């Protein structure tokens, strides 16, 4: 049994890690930290876990942490992560970091969008934890930078087209919609039930969302050329789910069947990518609670555009589920362990 | 008092007409038809109206209709409208038709997207009832084709940019999201509560939605050149509201302040268009139940795009409210009569 | 034009007062206070009001307040109200207080459920502002204690039965369900969208909700004997609406027709009470945004119980709408002025 | 591997059976019938199952059915079930019937609330499949009548009190609230998204819901005396979940601690009953997707009532999950097999 630690267990991502890991047969959670709920059973904070996850929140000193587990998930805000991760690595532990701190390979880019980086020496070795792109590197690394939720939905949706040069990156428009859990569990007026329900709105319009540099880094790598994206997020009145609708001009004349064949080939061995049969579309309610990314394709001949739609659960494939997928790879477990529960609907 | 008739009062649009008109001080509803609910008080079908709207659904023969009122709203499906409207006009009545039958000026285009047209002779005189564009013509016509909900949100959002040639129409992407009331009140599995709630999905992807020719007709007229749009609708888990996010490349280098000034000037006398202060965005929950169209602007310098966001209530400014606005103009009432109630939130 | 002031305009109740009063033709809002948003246009805090309500939040000193208006609504928390109201009365102004501070006639009861009362001298003259029960007294008073939302739904539902002695008060069970706006606009984890949506739960179970003494005071007055109620509130995943389901044993054998006749007679002149035809039931979605209280009746012969169901919009008839109704009575306006907009659905 | 058949797989209950059984390691689904979707993959009807549940809907003749599996779930409407079940039993198969047809032990009662019964000879041997009450009988029977959703929530909540004679059954009031999935997947106006969202209403008020005889049968057996209940269902704007709030007078003076101790003792070995710590309450969002029944207790000293609150997922513990629990018992599998996934929140 692998001894696993969750740093920051009381947020929506932390508790989802606890839930998923509690169904993983080869690990045990030996430490789960929360400053706010120190000493409390996690199932008191999240009564859905009563009788399923028996964990008590603790708040160990930084120097005690390494000895409490052998594998760590750091589910803390960016800036906090860059301080917590180095001592864990130094103690010989492996880490999946769910913050943004190790996702951006160029220090200057990180510092432009976030703040000064105090652990830049780790950036070269951190692996961007999107297994569908970097499986081999994830398997052998000690630090995985778990991707952001929006980037996961975008990159998986566009990878085949960009890699084959089938779209013109300059024409790329990404219109994404996210459930409210993406805003976290902090008390705020903007995410009160009454402010969100029965409504819909964009936010951080005009190229200001911090997931942009992450998206561009990966799309550029796929395209082999710098890609600048127009990315606009919106807030959905649902708890979980991201749907990204992506538009671009095709560089060659190809039909839906050939695009579908390309995606089929690209993702044929990917257990967590599901392709919608041509003519059908993904929906967030069909991936809720699961680690799947559903992808649909369409061609708008009149307007000369390909449209890629991808749907994920922002807390699972967009955070905790993908983190467990990375742990499985890093530790040599079967990649899908603990992650194959079928999503329920309705 | 103008004697007003509502043909097809029992759908979501028809009942909204009844609600709005019941607060209009210069008209009286003298006939409200419904085959399904013939003989029933409307407030039995819609108990929200009890004590507010005293109407009984009737089902008069076609040839009795004209004498029952002097102004008609036809809130029936397309194809039905083209049969009902001509005799009303022939009898000297004025009509606002809420179907698609008289919106498309070119018969061939209509017939390509819908079906054969049996009243084409009326197309030249029907006025596209978007008062912000065609106020003068609406005032003097006898048949208004009330715009579709998506087109209303799109055209109002893009008109200033297209008219001034500030965007390249070939780069236009329109990503729209609509509440479920847009699907009407017919029993169907796809719009059951359990199928829609806590979810989100696109539909009619790839340039197949029937609002496309209507959007293109009006955008082309504004641009002075044929415009082909990439338009993708999505289904929101809200009852009312459309938010359209529209992307295009600017043809000249201009900043947000100058765009805002252009919109301010364009819409300065428009009571139902509200501009969001620069830096803020529209939200469907802020227009719910009202005839307002809220418009927000942003420029994404990195990606070289302008982003226009517009929000309406699909049943009000997108249907019944705009229809009453047209009636006010056609009959010479003050344009805003009955339409100025402030939307409530939450 | 009556000069009206709203003390505490930025909460959900305050802004609803502003919205309703903006449609009232005989008043003008001359002051609207908010400590938090001092200096801001109210339509910046609530963009739904843009173009409809032009008010700027101010924060005048306590001694300046009286001269700024002639009629005041105090929409502040209990305890705050008891300090604000006396100087206004002393200056000769009339007040509708929306807090709990003047609702309980017995000081000891108030102090048991709330805290020490610093303005007890006003309790004897404050009138419980439920016009359907106390219209004549409201008309002549200078201080109305606007009822709580739950009590409004309960008292209107039970009044006819208790007054006629048709039910045994000892058997009374009140099961109420409220929308989340009742919790106010304060940032809190418990009312975040993700915590409330797609869920349902009771709260303050076991006779601890502070609306209980208010309910009991009024039900006792109606029954002519002390009534102790079993009252349990629940939190609904809707923004607005209260539905109370009330159960009691009948003291005599009577049928639904005779109960319906009693309610018809009781409420025949009440514009804001709507009786559901026998066999039908009220629903919160049918009163949303309106000042109506919808009441339905049923008899369960097998179990020997009458069941009364009442639905209101907690912010309107349960707060701001009823407050305006009281102002209309206190100032001599027609009681329904500004309050007759038909609720919309869906 | 047990060969399992699902008769009626395309409703919400049928598909949930398919989902749960797909995670059960000791069975295989060998037939899944649907007249409507004959020949279609189930994952085309429910795309959430793509890649997880590989089943094709079939529509075999009645006489072919028995040979296609060894254990059957009949998820068909009442009246249909009474025709389908007998031949399966005759062929030596075991059956869990999810309809109401075999729940009521007295034919006369069944026929009063439903219709004539054509398989009454099976009533004496059918076991009411609430394992917490009838585990031993379930283990040895060949036909289980799977309980209704409301009855499951009610009976588990009240069993300890009734068995010990701690409450007066004549004072029992049951106020239940259910998610919309309980209405099934049939197209109907009443359960359209727009009719249900942002609203709440009672239905079948006055003792007319067909779950009443089932509730009374079981409560009477527990009390040892005939019990007549006042039961009122309500429709919640959520997809899954039932919360029942139950009120009764205590027959003896007891405190919350002793009641809690009684429940602890009663349910100490029940894996699927979770007791809320005194002072806390159940919530539907905490059991969603799981087979748990969460129970909370409160005493209202002032009103002299005990209040029992219970929450289940109506499709799981209220239908498909409990059916699998019964199969496990009937076939000798560990009772919890396939049923222990932790519910996720939010």
């Amino acid at each position: 049994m692998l001894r696993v630690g969750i740093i920051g267990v009381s947020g929506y991502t932390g508790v989802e890690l606890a839930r998923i890991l509690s169904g993983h047969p080869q690990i045990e959670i030996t430490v789960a930290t929360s400053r706010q709920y120190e000493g409390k059973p996690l199932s008191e904070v999240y009564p859905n876990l009563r009788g399923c996850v028996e964990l008590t929140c603790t708040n160990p000193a930084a120097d005690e942490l390494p000895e409490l587990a052998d594998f760590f998930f750091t589910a803390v805000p960016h800036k906090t992560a860059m301080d917590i991760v180095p001592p864990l690595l130094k103690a010989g532990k492996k880490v999946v970091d769910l913050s943004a701190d190790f996702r951006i390979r160029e220090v200057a880019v990180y510092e432009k969008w976030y703040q000064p980086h105090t652990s830049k020496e780790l950036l070269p070795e951190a692996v961007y934890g999107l297994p569908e792109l970097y499986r081999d590197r994830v398997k052998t690394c000690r630090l995985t930078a778990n991707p952001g939720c929006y980037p996961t939905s975008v990159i998986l949706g566009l990878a085949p087209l960009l890699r084959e040069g089938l779209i013109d990156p300059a024409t790329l428009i990404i219109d994404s919609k996210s459930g409210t859990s993406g805003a976290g569990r902090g008390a705020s007026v903007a995410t009160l039930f009454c402010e969100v329900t029965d409504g819909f709105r964009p936010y951080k319009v005009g190229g200001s969302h911090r997931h942009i540099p992450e998206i561009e880094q990966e799309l550029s790598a796929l395209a082999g050329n710098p890609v600048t994206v127009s990315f606009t997020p919106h807030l959905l009145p649902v708890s979980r789910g991201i749907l990204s609708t992506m538009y671009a001009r095709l560089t060659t004349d190809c039909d839906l069947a050939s695009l579908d064949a390309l995606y089929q080939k690209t993702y044929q061995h990917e257990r967590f990518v599901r392709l919608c049969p041509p003519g059908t579309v993904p929906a967030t309610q069909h991936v809720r609670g699961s680690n799947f990314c559903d992808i649909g394709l369409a061609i708008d001949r009149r307007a000369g555009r390909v449209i890629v739609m991808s749907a994920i659960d922002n807390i699972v494939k967009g955070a905790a589920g993908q983190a467990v997928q990375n742990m499985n790879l890093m530790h040599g477990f079967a990649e899908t362990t603990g992650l194959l529960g079928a999503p329920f609907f309705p």
Side-chain angles (χ1 to χ4, degrees), chain A:
Chain A
M1 299 289 270
L2 177 65
R3 299 188 317 144
V4 167
I6 303 172
I7 314 303
V9 76
S10 63
Y12 288 148
T13 299
V15 74
E16 187 73 349
L17 277 168
R19 181 186 72 88
I20 295 172
L21 291 169
S22 75
H24 193 295
Q26 293 161 288
I27 68 101
E28 60 176 331
I29 304 171
T30 50
V31 59
T33 80
S34 163
R35 260 179 300 198
Q36 191 181 355
Y37 296 108
E38 182 178 1
K40 275 210 176 178
L42 186 62
S43 65
E44 208 171 281
V45 186
Y46 290 98
N48 56 307
L49 298 183
R50 190 178 300 137
C52 300
V53 178
E54 301 303 343
L55 282 178
T56 297
C57 301
T58 57
N59 188 20
D63 58 356
E64 296 171 37
L65 258 187
E67 68 202 58
L68 297 173
D70 295 319
F71 196 106
F72 286 89
F73 294 93
T74 46
V76 296
H78 61 84
K79 195 165 196 311
T80 304
M82 60 173 86
D83 292 334
I84 288 180
V85 168
L88 296 173
L89 293 180
K90 201 164 296 172
K93 310 303 180 177
K94 290 183 176 175
V95 177
V96 174
D97 176 43
L98 288 91
S99 86
D101 282 355
F102 300 100
R103 293 177 192 159
I104 308 292
R105 280 185 282 269
E106 288 191 39
V107 178
V109 174
Y110 179 90
E111 297 193 336
K112 180 186 157 208
W113 288 83
Y114 292 90
Q115 70 276 306
H117 204 303
T118 59
S119 304
K120 0 185 152 178
E121 68 284 0
L122 290 174
L123 292 181
E125 69 160 296
V127 174
Y128 190 71
L130 196 60
E132 289 78 6
L133 293 190
Y134 297 107
R135 181 167 291 112
D136 289 343
R137 296 193 50 203
V138 170
K139 280 182 179 168
T140 57
C141 76
R142 56 177 193 157
L143 171 59
T144 291
N146 209 57
C149 49
Y150 285 122
T152 296
S153 76
V154 169
I155 299 162
L156 290 176
L158 293 175
L161 292 175
L162 283 168
R163 216 147 34 187
E164 301 298 319
L166 290 173
I167 56 173
D168 172 3
T171 64
L172 201 50
I173 300 285
I174 302 169
D175 189 287
S176 291
K177 303 88 177 172
S178 172
T180 307
S181 61
R185 209 192 187 205
S188 89
V189 169
T191 51
L192 288 179
F193 179 82
C194 289
E195 303 286 318
V196 173
T197 191
D198 209 12
F200 182 69
R201 70 170 81 197
Y203 67 99
K204 291 199 185 296
V205 182
S208 60
H209 195 286
R210 281 169 161 175
H211 281 170
I212 289 176
E214 184 183 338
I215 291 172
E216 291 181 346
Q217 164 181 289
E218 297 303 320
L219 297 192
S220 299
L222 286 161
N225 274 304
V227 172
T228 303
V229 299
S230 173
F231 170 77
T232 306
H234 300 72
L235 185 66
L236 283 171
V238 308
S239 51
R240 291 172 178 239
I242 283 180
L243 189 128
S244 292
T245 314
M246 300 170 273
Y247 306 85
R249 285 200 181 278
L250 287 165
T251 52
T252 59
D253 186 32
C254 51
D255 60 11
L256 189 56
S258 63
L259 290 187
D260 184 57
L262 168 66
Y263 276 71
Q264 292 283 1
K265 196 178 150 217
T266 306
Y267 290 127
Q268 59 185 321
H269 303 302
E270 294 300 340
R271 190 66 183 82
F272 296 119
V273 176
R274 303 191 300 190
L275 301 179
C276 301
T280 69
V281 295
T284 63
Q285 56 268 59
H286 294 149
V287 297
R288 198 173 38 174
S290 81
N291 202 48
F292 293 111
C293 175
D294 283 6
I295 299 176
L297 298 169
I299 292 179
D300 184 343
R301 293 233 159 270
R302 298 177 62 264
R305 295 293 198 308
V306 63
I307 302 157
V308 183
M309 299 146 281
S310 69
I312 61 169
D313 181 320
N314 57 301
I315 314 188
V316 187
K317 185 62 178 169
Q322 186 144 271
V324 172
Q325 188 180 353
N326 282 318
M327 176 198 76
N328 285 339
L329 289 168
M330 291 165 78
H331 195 72
F333 296 137
E335 182 174 347
T336 60
T337 311
L339 293 169
L340 287 179
F344 64 78
F345 173 85

